[in-house]
Amino acid sequence: MNTRTQEKAQTRQKILDAASRLSAERGFSSLSLRAVAQEAGIGPSSFYRHFTDLDDLGLALVDQVGMNLRLLVRRARQSILEDGGRNVVRAPIRIFMDLAATNRNLFRLLLGEGSGSTPAFREAIAKEIQRFTSDLVEDLKRGAAFTGRPLAHVECAAEAMVTVAFNLGAAAVDRSAAEREETTERIIREVRIIMRGAEAMAAGWEPAHA
Amino acid sequence: MNTRTQEKAQTRQKILDAASRLSAERGFSSLSLRAVAQEAGIGPSSFYRHFTDLDDLGLALVDQVGMNLRLLVRRARQSILEDGGRNVVRAPIRIFMDLAATNRNLFRLLLGEGSGSTPAFREAIAKEIQRFTSDLVEDLKRGAAFTGRPLAHVECAAEAMVTVAFNLGAAAVDRSAAEREETTERIIREVRIIMRGAEAMAAGWEPAHA
DNA sequence: ATCTTCAGCGAACGTTTGTGCGCTGAAATA
DNA sequence: TATTTCAGCGCACAAACGTTCGCTGAAGAT
């Protein structure tokens, strides 16, 4: 690859990082082209060599955030495989929360910008989370086949789990370690409830009525 | 009450309405004092007669949104009481979604601004949703006592339900009626899963393992 | 009838915003 | 070596921003 294109990609990345860093404080929707350029260490007019718009930047940012997230998750998944069967809920969520804590900006962007800015931006984020949910569906099916405990409405259950984990997790990202710990446990419990519900439905169990 | 103070309260309300209307498009965090003033039909400088800041406005807005929400919910709850026992999940969620559809701005503010702006604003919103959850906890306990089906971890279950309903609901607010319908059914299913899980746990039910 | 209060206004300020333009100098190409 | 490409820069501009100031005129108080 050319030295030229290499350097261009490099400053492009600097812009993306700057945007990610700045959007952590006030949200992506309320940040300015000039501020981003300054944080990236380039002049305002140079910005246009890489992106046409702030919206354009936003889409690229979501793209990259999604890629990073999937990479991290894939790596995490491998380390779970060693843990045979036990802690099917606890281990993944612990990893998820650690990930969120060490990649705040990344998660904040994915979670805080639910309705912040342009529709395209919104939808890009939604799609990214949906992809995450799809992966979880696969995992759940695999897990169910392994433990012999089928789940009803896997897609819905997965969606509920992801929604709970992402949302409560996002709220805890900026809290103290102790509070984060407490929140993590609560998420685990809630995901367990969902899991148990899906299992109960699959087994046809119903509560006795008085 | 004086005509004077009455009129003041009136324009104050006009400002709040204007902010609510405008924040629906781009989010509260990215709106300007001048734009709000213009939408409210007053000069920029008159804004300061009612609020010191945009943050100040934000807090007042959350306050009012919370009040309206609680009012609507209370009204909705009464109309549920007629529906004895059956549709414990479906009826409330249908009402909730109708509420969300006819009060978009209200819900969008409560849901989209998760990390948009200042911490005080964030926390005010979090507190409002928490209050909503507390109410649901009470309802669930009452319902459980009535149907004789106890729930485990009521607080957690309620939190999960609220999180799912608010989040998926918020995403659907801007969609077509058909998509909203589809989303509503999915929310109902997911809340049912949570409910069933909490019931199963309370009953000590566990899935048979292979 | 006189005086006080104060919501709303318009003008002005200094900043910050997005964006266009032409230049530069090093890297890529020929 | 001569030529082309183009990322980055500085400058300029119009527009929008938050905020201050003094004025006005109707409502409230005396």
Side-chain angles (χ1 to χ4, degrees):
Chain A
M1 204 211 275
N2 277 343
T3 307
R4 195 67 174 277
T5 49
Q6 217 168 353
E7 279 178 352
K8 176 162 185 179
Q10 201 170 323
T11 54
R12 189 190 142 98
Q13 190 55 45
K14 277 204 291 187
I15 296 177
L16 285 167
D17 290 347
S20 161
R21 226 172 304 132
L22 286 185
S23 74
E25 298 172 11
R26 289 265 170 215
F28 177 84
S29 54
S30 61
L31 58 73
S32 74
L33 187 150
R34 287 183 110 104
V36 172
Q38 189 176 26
E39 175 84 6
I42 63 172
S45 52
S46 304
F47 178 90
Y48 294 99
R49 302 284 182 201
H50 304 273
F51 305 97
T52 70
D53 236 8
L54 272 180
D55 286 349
D56 194 20
L57 207 207
L59 294 186
L61 198 50
V62 174
D63 246 46
Q64 186 185 271
V65 163
M67 257 193 40
N68 281 351
L69 181 62
R70 259 169 289 152
L71 185 73
L72 289 173
V73 167
R74 198 166 308 151
R75 208 176 288 169
R77 201 172 319 196
Q78 289 183 341
S79 72
I80 293 179
L81 286 184
E82 315 166 344
D83 190 77
R86 256 316 68 181
N87 297 331
V88 224
V89 172
R90 168 164 254 111
I93 291 187
R94 285 230 91 93
I95 290 180
F96 176 82
M97 288 299 280
D98 285 350
L99 239 53
T102 51
N103 300 279
R104 300 178 182 217
N105 294 359
L106 198 146
F107 275 73
R108 238 183 308 224
L109 185 89
L110 227 45
L111 290 159
E113 233 53 62
S115 89
S117 44
T118 182
F121 189 76
R122 250 195 293 266
E123 273 176 49
I125 289 185
K127 191 160 288 181
E128 214 56 61
I129 292 189
Q130 202 172 326
R131 195 196 296 254
F132 192 89
T133 305
S134 299
D135 285 4
L136 179 58
V137 168
E138 288 313 308
D139 279 9
L140 285 179
K141 281 182 181 169
R142 220 187 307 277
F146 181 72
T147 61
R149 300 170 167 186
L151 298 174
H153 309 305
V154 199
E155 289 82 7
C156 281
E159 189 177 58
M161 289 178 186
V162 169
T163 303
V164 164
F166 267 71
N167 261 75
L168 270 36
V173 141
D174 299 305
R175 307 274 167 200
S176 72
E179 284 179 291
R180 241 180 12 245
E181 181 60 27
E182 200 259 351
T183 301
T184 304
E185 287 304 318
R186 214 166 62 247
I187 294 180
I188 291 176
R189 184 170 301 154
E190 296 183 16
V191 169
R192 282 216 175 106
I193 293 178
I194 297 171
M195 188 84 104
R196 181 62 50 90
E199 289 170 342
M201 281 187 168
W205 181 86
E206 280 193 35
H209 57 283
Chain B
M1 202 208 275
N2 277 341
T3 306
R4 196 67 174 276
T5 49
Q6 217 168 352
E7 279 177 351
K8 177 162 185 179
Q10 201 170 323
T11 56
R12 188 189 144 98
Q13 190 54 45
K14 276 203 292 187
I15 297 178
L16 285 167
D17 290 347
S20 160
R21 227 171 304 132
L22 286 185
S23 74
E25 298 172 11
R26 289 264 172 217
F28 177 84
S29 55
S30 62
L31 59 73
S32 72
L33 187 149
R34 286 181 110 105
V36 172
Q38 189 176 27
E39 175 83 8
I42 62 171
S45 52
S46 304
F47 178 91
Y48 295 99
R49 301 282 183 203
H50 303 272
F51 306 96
T52 70
D53 237 7
L54 273 180
D55 287 350
D56 194 20
L57 208 206
L59 294 187
L61 198 50
V62 174
D63 245 46
Q64 185 184 274
V65 163
M67 256 191 42
N68 282 351
L69 181 63
R70 259 169 288 145
L71 184 73
L72 289 173
V73 167
R74 196 164 312 151
R75 207 175 290 169
R77 201 172 318 196
Q78 288 183 342
S79 73
I80 292 178
L81 285 184
E82 315 167 344
D83 190 77
R86 259 311 72 181
N87 298 328
V88 221
V89 172
R90 168 165 255 110
I93 292 187
R94 285 231 91 94
I95 290 180
F96 176 81
M97 289 298 282
D98 285 350
L99 239 51
T102 50
N103 299 279
R104 300 180 183 215
N105 294 359
L106 199 146
F107 275 74
R108 240 185 305 226
L109 185 89
L110 228 45
L111 289 160
E113 232 54 61
S115 91
S117 44
T118 181
F121 189 76
R122 247 196 294 267
E123 273 175 49
I125 290 185
K127 190 159 289 182
E128 215 56 62
I129 292 189
Q130 201 172 327
R131 194 196 297 255
F132 192 89
T133 306
S134 300
D135 284 3
L136 179 58
V137 168
E138 288 312 308
D139 278 8
L140 286 179
K141 281 182 182 169
R142 219 186 307 275
F146 181 72
T147 61
R149 301 170 166 184
L151 298 174
H153 309 304
V154 198
E155 287 83 6
C156 281
E159 191 178 55
M161 290 177 184
V162 169
T163 304
V164 164
F166 267 72
N167 262 75
L168 301 191
V173 142
D174 300 305
R175 307 272 167 202
S176 72
E179 286 178 290
R180 250 192 350 256
E181 181 61 26
E182 201 259 350
T183 301
T184 304
E185 287 304 318
R186 216 166 61 248
I187 294 180
I188 291 176
R189 186 170 298 154
E190 296 183 17
V191 169
R192 282 217 174 105
I193 294 178
I194 297 171
M195 186 85 105
R196 182 61 52 89
E199 290 170 341
M201 281 187 167
W205 181 86
E206 280 192 36
H209 57 283

